[in-house]
């Protein structure tokens, strides 16, 4: 693990109201359950036991925010980063996911 990864990991989703939401990640007709670790208007970082190859087109389905298309842009140990198109829809999706987690018991 690099120094950057050690610094980044503890800060990810570290607050009393934000937790790792379970979502579905669909690609090539297969679905896997992933944990949403971090999200913004440009993309999301997901914990997954089966990382997908770089460039894979995916659909992320959040239980409250809906779904969005993305592409795998980074691969790590048991995690991936997906990139959104940075359009208004992506920002709305990210805000919806954050707001849903803030208001859940």
């Amino acid at each position: 693990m690099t120094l950057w990864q050690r610094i980044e990991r503890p800060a990810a989703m570290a607050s009393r109201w934000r937790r790792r939401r379970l979502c579905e990640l669909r690609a090539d007709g297969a679905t896997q359950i992933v944990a949403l670790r971090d999200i913004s208007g440009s993309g999301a970082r997901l914990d997954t036991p089966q990382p997908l190859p770089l460039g894979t087109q995916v659909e992320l389905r959040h239980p409250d925010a809906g779904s969005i298309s993305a592409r795998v842009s980074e691969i790590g140990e048991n995690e991936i980063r997906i990139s959104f198109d940075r359009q208004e829809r992506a920002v709305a999706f990210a805000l919806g996911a954050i707001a849903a987690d803030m208001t859940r018991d």
Side-chain angles (χ1 to χ4, degrees):
M1 180 180 301
T2 67
L3 176 60
W4 176 252
Q5 289 171 323
R6 285 192 303 251
I7 292 169
E8 186 181 18
R9 278 187 194 275
M13 300 283 228
S15 78
R16 66 180 179 274
W17 54 264
R18 189 81 166 119
R19 59 192 178 281
R20 293 180 184 176
R21 169 71 65 182
L22 294 181
C23 299
E24 288 183 358
L25 187 67
R26 296 181 179 189
D28 299 326
T31 300
Q32 62 175 294
I33 302 300
V34 297
L36 179 62
R37 192 169 77 161
D38 190 24
I39 189 164
S40 71
S42 63
R45 188 165 304 276
L46 309 169
D47 289 336
T48 175
Q50 300 171 335
L52 299 168
L54 280 175
T56 302
Q57 184 69 35
V58 298
E59 178 185 19
L60 178 63
R61 292 180 165 254
H62 186 280
D64 297 305
S67 64
I68 191 166
S69 294
R71 188 168 300 280
V72 176
S73 57
E74 292 178 35
I75 301 172
E77 187 175 326
N78 294 322
E79 69 178 28
I80 61 173
R81 174 149 176 84
I82 58 174
S83 295
F84 305 142
D85 61 10
R86 296 185 186 205
Q87 300 294 319
E88 290 175 5
R89 167 95 176 94
V91 173
F93 178 83
L95 289 174
I98 292 167
D101 288 355
M102 290 176 68
T103 57
R104 287 277 190 183
D105 293 333

